[in-house]
Amino acid sequence: MLYLWFQVYLNKMKLDGEWYTDKTSRILYATDASAYRELPLAVAIPKTEADLKKLIAYAKANNTCLIPRTAGTSLAGQVVGNGVVVDVSRYFTKILEVNAEERWVRVQPGVIRDDLNRYLKAYGLFFAPETSTANRAMIGGMVGNNSCGSNSVVYGSTREHLLSAKAILSDGSDAVFQSLSFSEFIDKCDGDSLEATIYRNIRSLLGDYQNQVRIREEFPKQQVSRRNTGYAIDLLLDTNPFTAETKNFNFCELLTGSEGTLAFFTELKLNLEPIPRGVSGLLCIHLNSISDALQANIIALKHRPQVSELIDHYILDCTLENLEQSKNRFFVKGNPKAILAVEYLADNYESVLAITDTVESELRAHNLGYHYPVLFGEDRKKVWELRKAGLGLLSNLPGDEKAVAVIEDTAVAVEDLPDYIREFNEVLKKYDLYSVHYAHAGSGELHLRPIINLKTAEGQMLFRTVATEVAELVKKYRGSLSGEHGDGRLRGEFIPYMIGRENYNLLCEIKKAWDPDNIFNPGKITATPPMDKHLRYSPGQHVPEIKTVFRFQGQNILQHAEQCNGSGDCRKLASAGGTMCPSYMATRNEKDTTRARANVLREILTSSTKINRFDSEEIKEVMELCISCKGCKSECPSSVDMAKLKAEFLHQYHQSHGFSLRSRLIGNIASINRLATPFSKLFNFLNNLSWVKSLLGFSTYRSLPKLHSFTLRSWLQKNPSPTGRLVYLFCDEFSNYNDVTIGIKAVELLQGLGYEVHIPYHKESGRAAISKGLLHKAKTSANHNVKLLSTLISEETPLIGIEPSAILTFRDEYPDLVDEHLVPAARKLALNAFLIEEFLELEMQKGNVRKEQFKDDVRKVKLHGHCQQKAWLATGASKTILSFPENYTVEEIPSGCCGMAGSFGYEAEHYEVSMQIGELVLFPAVRQSDEDTIIAAPGTSCRHQIKDGTGRMALHPVEILFEALK
């Protein structure tokens, strides 16, 4: 009843932004990237500062709380709670002012760190603190957690760069916190405002001599550069009202790392640094043990690197199975137990190599390491991409045991790190546990994640036991239990032990002075509930058996959804590059992320009491704008394949609800086209009448694909291929019925290059059926095609496809879709199924296709790759073959999905989002191209989208290469 009353009351609230009180939204915001889960009462998306003040007034009047949130990537449960989640990531996103001369910028809290630096590049400046989540992490969250990252050896944490903060206090009043001289500080203490109260409070607490002694004795020692334990009163103590001849007092020291518990930020003024000039070289030291790596770290630090980061063999092993990161292993030699990546900056290459040679010599003298490559430029960036993916990669373990964030943020002095890690591993050994070791060796902080099954009572007991014993170990070294990820719900319980009960009481007094009604993110830092309460999983909870059509490679479908750890890689915007998630890039709505879909799937499949657990409007809602682009298959570090999950959901959901006419038409489009080909003119005429499109649920703004008057298969039968090296062409349903002229060009190109082209008998690919969840139909096609082609196709006689989405079903879905006994044959067939561009690239490399076979005309090409081609990292083949003619230059458009995504963009309810996605990168890039530039797009839906969105005709790469033939 209480919740129903609350919901009714909320719905009466009027904001310029939005309120969400529905079940789906509450599920989406019940978790972050931590092990915690608690349903909030509501979600608010404020648009203005007036909205924030309304929220504060409501919370104060109704004894509830507000939980500030940006990207929701916190690892200690900072944005999990039972109040109103206040998400500022959609509207508070403005860069307000830049002062290049004084080197500062003012921003709203929802500005993304990497986007800010792209904007600042023109000024020659950047905001230095960096996180592995920097392409989606927002400044407000970075301030709240006092974030830092790989470069903290040089630039420190966010605290060192926050100059001032504009905030709303718990009584709704405005305040600006900035550097104050002694007299200005004293003046601030006068008056009866809440702001004056908090200044008097800190003056009283830190002016007390006994408090000063206890703070200096019990807080982490000053050699620990990463210190996020509790409120930073130890740092405020070292300012001019309390310690002579020190820097000015600034409450920003306290607010940074306060996790939204004291005030609500509206503007943040940040110090900026000049963009480093010179050459950076990355020394990748291969080592035989973690212990050796930590000793090597001490040697490397003597030579003043920019960065020193550890990557252990568990992370390296995870990269083997990740499509995006496997290509970044190029520098790895042998099987190192650890790689220490140390970056040095100097004026030129020679100076960098002089430093790395010196370091290598010293390491060899101490018998540390066995391989010492030095990488520059793009190669260096690939290593850092691999390192940054570490957090998500740890979720790739297929079962219920996961690398758990429980003690992953401890920091000690660098010189203490080898001994600390030795003792740490001794603690784990007592419980037969082992841990991942990676990240910030140069700052005395390794991310340490033991492998624990939190679904069991034993696992949850270990969760607490390990946390407790490691806290004791950290205190022994006077380290910080949190180095960068904050206390949150995970470590708050241990703060009294870490800094002493009297010091903890000071934190409680500060919280009470700032927030007497406890409305700002309660239960974080002070009065924190036990660290093993409100975990994502209940111990011993029933795990349902869910039968699916797809297999999930050693998992069930629920475990695959649970692989998402909430790191939020799917929240990056188009400006960051990549494909995942195009609908989120357009809407900036959490509901449209892979994370959201995985969260709702996990929640419903676990808790539903229905016979058909997929019969869920909540799952249907979050899946609505998933366009099955497959970007997550490669770009999600946890390799969550949401397109596959969506196809399975649609299949299961429609077992209860039936398939719509439109879904049946799309799923059976090949059969319809086969029957309609003799009547193609009439079919095309009817198909593009507005009332017909409306009746079928297609957008009247779209022109539907036209049917050709004959098929590609019938054309080849009338125009048999001359003798040559035999290749088999997969006659996909799009090339066979719609893009017949492209199919003919593909055949003629292959023939012109000396190949004999045969189209074997086979069924349609099943791509359209998969996209609509008609999995039994798709499975029938897959079974037939594997049986028909597996004995015919080999390394010597590969299967070549024109349309990426069709040929890639052999590589992607078939091995997990066919009957069990056909799996070996499907996997073998998958190895020899190629995009036509991939085949031609291989033939060019072998010398079977030669440059002299092509004209020397000058041509400029802009290439847009198909999403599923990108998911398999195969756009490089398109670029290679188009660059092969002597004077052809190719530029790949840095676009994600085009927005059409098969039938998605044709559907009336999806047309607007489809075009918004196109406008992110693709359409502007095409419009900015001169008329002589050829636009290339391998995908049939991509070409159609480009035509509808820009009026330009895009060509398949085979058309371009055919025209280049002599």
Side-chain angles (χ1 to χ4, degrees):
M1 290 297 294
L2 178 62
Y3 172 66
L4 291 176
W5 169 84
F6 188 86
Q7 187 176 39
V8 169
Y9 190 94
L10 286 180
N11 284 330
K12 293 178 181 176
M13 295 279 288
K14 297 296 182 183
L15 296 179
D16 294 325
E18 293 91 43
W19 273 106
Y20 297 103
T21 57
D22 58 286
K23 182 179 178 181
T24 302
S25 297
R26 294 170 65 224
I27 291 172
L28 299 185
Y29 285 87
T31 56
D32 51 13
S34 72
Y36 295 96
R37 172 199 169 275
E38 189 171 7
L39 282 174
L41 288 171
V43 177
I45 314 290
K47 197 171 188 177
T48 62
E49 291 186 26
D51 280 351
L52 293 175
K53 291 185 178 182
K54 286 182 183 179
L55 289 167
I56 290 169
Y58 172 77
K60 188 178 179 71
N62 291 279
N63 195 30
T64 189
C65 62
L66 307 179
I67 304 158
R69 176 170 166 138
T70 52
T73 60
S74 47
L75 288 159
Q78 282 93 333
V79 296
V80 176
N82 62 6
V84 179
V85 174
V86 184
D87 182 350
V88 299
S89 68
R90 193 181 304 174
Y91 297 120
F92 282 78
T93 58
K94 295 183 180 64
I95 298 171
L96 301 168
E97 182 183 7
V98 178
N99 188 317
E101 184 177 340
E102 297 180 13
R103 296 201 324 219
W104 54 258
V105 62
R106 278 193 311 117
V107 300
Q108 291 182 315
V111 171
I112 294 172
R113 186 267 186 187
D114 280 0
D115 282 354
L116 173 61
N117 281 345
R118 273 185 281 274
Y119 182 87
L120 293 171
K121 189 175 181 179
Y123 298 91
L125 300 170
F126 80 122
F127 176 59
E130 175 185 36
T131 69
S132 61
T133 59
N135 64 1
R136 67 268 190 200
M138 297 175 181
I139 301 300
M142 292 183 70
V143 170
N145 284 347
N146 187 33
S147 299
C148 55
S150 300
N151 66 10
S152 67
V153 174
V154 176
Y155 294 111
S157 62
T158 300
R159 179 176 285 123
E160 284 76 61
H161 298 270
L162 181 65
L163 299 176
S164 69
K166 180 181 175 185
I168 304 175
L169 301 181
S170 61
D171 65 349
S173 62
D174 296 314
V176 176
F177 299 102
Q178 58 192 358
S179 176
L180 300 174
S181 67
F182 181 84
S183 60
E184 289 170 330
F185 174 84
I186 297 301
D187 289 343
K188 283 285 188 180
C189 295
D190 290 337
D192 57 3
S193 66
L194 178 57
E195 183 179 7
T197 299
I198 62 180
Y199 276 97
R200 287 195 297 270
N201 168 261
I202 202 70
R203 181 178 64 181
S204 172
L205 296 181
L206 297 189
D208 183 282
Y209 176 74
Q210 292 300 325
N211 287 344
Q212 292 180 0
V213 171
R214 281 193 292 264
I215 290 169
R216 290 193 166 109
E217 285 180 347
E218 298 192 63
F219 265 71
K221 62 184 179 182
Q222 292 187 351
Q223 294 92 327
V224 180
S225 59
R226 289 169 170 250
R227 303 153 73 187
N228 263 0
T229 297
Y231 298 133
I233 56 175
D234 57 329
L235 298 180
L236 280 185
L237 185 57
D238 288 329
T239 60
N240 70 355
F242 311 110
T243 303
E245 298 181 0
T246 55
K247 62 184 177 181
N248 282 354
F249 179 92
N250 190 339
F251 256 134
C252 287
E253 300 261 16
L254 189 76
L255 288 168
T256 311
S258 64
E259 302 182 0
T261 62
L262 300 179
F264 209 113
F265 302 130
T266 57
E267 291 182 17
L268 300 161
K269 183 179 178 182
L270 308 170
N271 168 66
L272 302 177
E273 299 285 347
I275 294 174
R277 298 187 179 278
V279 174
S280 289
L282 187 60
L283 175 63
C284 297
I285 307 163
H286 290 48
L287 298 127
N288 292 314
S289 69
I290 296 294
S291 177
D292 283 357
L294 299 180
Q295 294 297 334
N297 177 56
I298 293 173
I299 291 171
L301 288 173
K302 291 194 302 185
H303 300 273
R304 304 185 67 180
Q306 301 291 106
V307 178
S308 182
E309 294 281 297
L310 183 71
I311 308 169
D312 80 355
H313 68 286
Y314 293 117
I315 298 289
L316 293 172
D317 289 347
C318 287
T319 64
L320 290 168
E321 302 300 323
N322 182 271
L323 284 170
E324 180 74 11
Q325 297 305 325
S326 59
K327 65 182 174 57
N328 292 332
R329 290 177 49 90
F330 67 95
F331 68 101
V332 179
K333 181 179 180 180
N335 295 296
K337 287 294 183 182
I339 290 177
L340 190 69
V342 190
E343 184 164 288
Y344 293 98
L345 177 68
D347 292 336
N348 50 52
Y349 288 94
E350 293 75 17
S351 298
V352 171
L353 291 174
I355 298 170
T356 57
D357 285 347
T358 300
V359 175
E360 180 181 340
S361 297
E362 194 168 345
L363 292 170
R364 288 185 183 276
H366 288 81
N367 198 29
L368 296 171
Y370 67 87
H371 182 51
Y372 313 86
V374 183
L375 307 174
F376 296 93
E378 291 302 313
D379 284 345
R380 167 183 147 270
K381 291 179 183 177
K382 291 175 184 176
V383 178
W384 289 135
E385 286 176 15
L386 183 147
R387 151 62 193 96
K388 285 184 177 183
L391 172 63
L393 290 171
L394 295 178
S395 299
N396 280 346
L397 300 176
D400 291 331
E401 290 191 331
K402 301 292 182 186
V404 175
V406 55
I407 37 77
E408 93 295 343
D409 199 30
T410 59
V412 297
V414 171
E415 59 271 17
D416 292 334
L417 194 57
D419 289 337
Y420 167 72
I421 293 299
R422 176 181 51 77
E423 291 195 61
F424 167 84
N425 285 317
E426 288 172 1
V427 171
L428 293 193
K429 190 175 181 181
K430 287 195 303 184
Y431 303 104
D432 293 323
L433 296 175
Y434 63 95
S435 174
V436 174
H437 302 67
Y438 82 106
H440 316 300
S443 300
E445 175 177 3
L446 295 186
H447 292 326
L448 307 161
R449 292 198 168 194
I451 312 299
I452 299 176
N453 181 358
L454 285 180
K455 290 186 177 180
T456 66
E458 180 187 20
Q460 294 200 4
M461 182 177 69
L462 278 174
F463 186 68
R464 166 169 285 283
T465 301
V466 169
T468 302
E469 294 199 22
V470 170
E472 293 169 355
L473 182 61
V474 173
K475 183 161 185 176
K476 172 183 174 180
Y477 286 94
R478 281 198 66 192
S480 177
L481 204 54
S482 170
E484 63 173 336
H485 296 159
D487 295 314
R489 305 177 74 126
L490 179 60
R491 288 172 275 271
E493 178 184 349
F494 299 102
I495 295 176
Y497 173 76
M498 298 304 298
I499 65 173
R501 174 60 62 176
E502 292 87 352
N503 285 330
Y504 173 73
N505 289 339
L506 299 182
L507 306 190
C508 295
E509 290 188 47
I510 290 170
K511 169 68 173 174
K512 187 175 181 180
W514 285 71
D515 185 19
D517 296 305
N518 207 28
I519 64 172
F520 287 141
N521 210 12
K524 319 302 185 319
I525 300 181
T526 62
T528 308
M531 56 84 69
D532 50 357
K533 297 297 183 185
H534 297 293
L535 295 175
R536 286 195 186 196
Y537 305 109
S538 301
Q541 69 184 39
H542 173 66
V543 179
E545 284 190 28
I546 303 172
K547 292 184 178 180
T548 56
V549 181
F550 274 119
R551 283 178 293 276
F552 288 88
Q553 299 182 14
Q555 301 174 310
N556 57 45
I557 188 171
L558 178 57
Q559 288 171 322
H560 189 69
E562 289 171 346
Q563 226 167 256
C564 171
N565 70 344
S567 62
D569 299 69
C570 43
R571 281 182 61 97
K572 61 185 172 58
L573 300 182
S575 55
T579 301
M580 175 182 73
C581 284
S583 51
Y584 173 77
M585 292 178 184
T587 67
R588 296 194 70 163
N589 191 330
E590 173 71 21
K591 179 167 65 73
D592 301 321
T593 63
T594 296
R595 175 172 72 178
R597 296 165 188 133
N599 277 338
V600 173
L601 266 173
R602 184 191 69 246
E603 183 86 18
I604 301 301
L605 294 184
T606 300
S607 63
S608 175
T609 57
K610 292 184 178 180
I611 294 174
N612 181 358
R613 291 172 183 264
F614 293 93
D615 183 6
S616 163
E617 294 307 308
E618 288 83 15
I619 303 177
K620 184 173 183 288
E621 181 182 357
V622 295
M623 289 294 185
E624 182 65 25
L625 293 187
C626 172
I627 62 179
S628 300
C629 66
K630 289 279 183 179
C632 49
K633 184 178 178 69
S634 59
E635 293 177 30
C636 171
S638 302
S639 299
V640 175
D641 188 345
M642 191 51 63
K644 185 176 174 183
L645 290 169
K646 180 182 181 180
E648 186 69 51
F649 161 71
L650 290 174
H651 168 81
Q652 302 282 355
Y653 178 84
H654 290 303
Q655 302 310 298
S656 296
H657 294 271
F659 288 90
S660 69
L661 173 61
R662 186 177 68 185
S663 291
R664 291 184 182 278
L665 288 174
I666 293 167
N668 290 281
I669 192 64
S671 300
I672 294 169
N673 284 344
R674 181 173 62 254
L675 295 172
T677 294
F679 317 102
S680 58
K681 288 186 178 179
L682 177 61
F683 182 86
N684 291 337
F685 172 74
L686 293 173
N687 225 17
N688 278 291
L689 293 174
S690 292
W691 67 268
V692 172
K693 287 188 278 190
S694 293
L695 181 66
L696 297 178
F698 295 114
S699 171
T700 56
Y701 297 104
R702 292 287 188 192
S703 57
L704 298 181
K706 290 188 176 180
L707 200 58
H708 207 74
S709 58
F710 56 85
T711 66
L712 175 61
R713 189 181 286 275
S714 66
W715 177 85
L716 189 57
Q717 288 171 348
K718 294 177 182 178
N719 300 273
S721 216
T723 304
R725 183 193 163 190
L726 179 61
V727 294
Y728 289 104
L729 183 69
F730 182 71
C731 188
D732 66 81
E733 48 269 43
F734 310 101
S735 302
N736 195 38
Y737 297 112
N738 306 107
D739 298 324
V740 177
T741 54
I742 294 174
I744 293 171
K745 287 289 198 316
V747 172
E748 291 179 337
L749 172 64
L750 290 167
Q751 290 172 343
L753 294 171
Y755 298 93
E756 181 180 348
V757 183
H758 286 193
I759 296 179
Y761 176 70
H762 61 73
K763 300 289 186 179
E764 67 204 67
S765 70
R767 170 58 62 196
I770 290 170
S771 74
K772 289 302 170 187
L774 280 73
L775 295 189
H776 286 151
K777 176 179 175 56
K779 183 169 186 168
T780 299
S781 293
N783 285 338
H784 278 307
N785 283 336
V786 170
K787 291 174 185 175
L788 291 167
L789 297 172
S790 59
T791 58
L792 192 66
I793 301 304
S794 67
E795 189 175 351
E796 290 73 32
T797 53
L799 185 66
I800 302 170
I802 301 168
E803 166 58 34
S805 65
I807 191 65
L808 288 175
T809 55
F810 286 88
R811 196 181 296 177
D812 197 335
E813 286 89 358
Y814 277 19
D816 293 328
L817 187 59
V818 296
D819 290 340
E820 194 72 41
H821 71 281
L822 292 173
V823 170
R827 288 176 176 168
K828 181 181 176 183
L829 182 57
L831 293 174
N832 296 300
F834 296 97
L835 294 163
I836 191 168
E837 297 101 308
E838 293 176 312
F839 170 75
L840 290 172
E841 180 184 40
L842 289 171
E843 293 297 283
M844 289 169 180
Q845 291 170 355
K846 294 174 183 176
N848 296 332
V849 175
R850 305 175 308 280
K851 283 186 178 289
E852 54 265 28
Q853 292 175 284
F854 296 92
K855 302 171 187 174
D856 58 3
D857 297 345
V858 176
R859 292 285 187 273
K860 183 179 179 182
V861 180
K862 278 195 174 182
L863 169 68
H864 166 74
H866 188 280
C867 287
Q868 291 171 6
Q869 188 183 14
K870 291 171 182 173
W872 283 96
L873 311 179
T875 56
S878 297
K879 189 172 181 179
T880 297
I881 69 162
L882 289 172
S883 304
F884 195 68
E886 193 64 45
N887 295 313
Y888 276 52
T889 58
V890 183
E891 176 189 347
E892 187 171 355
I893 298 171
S895 49
C897 181
C898 70
M900 186 68 88
S903 66
F904 178 88
Y906 292 104
E907 295 162 359
E909 69 273 25
H910 298 145
Y911 171 78
E912 185 176 344
V913 171
S914 168
M915 299 306 280
Q916 287 174 355
I917 293 169
E919 291 290 355
L920 293 171
V921 177
L922 177 60
F923 292 170
V926 172
R927 292 189 194 110
Q928 290 162 14
S929 304
D930 58 61
E931 291 185 3
D932 293 332
T933 298
I934 303 169
I935 307 299
T940 182
S941 58
C942 305
R943 294 190 295 274
H944 204 131
Q945 175 78 326
I946 290 169
K947 180 177 181 294
D948 284 357
T950 69
R952 292 285 295 269
M953 294 295 296
L955 302 178
H956 193 289
V958 298
E959 296 180 277
I960 299 168
L961 214 56
F962 175 77
E963 293 301 323
L965 271 179
K966 286 184 179 177

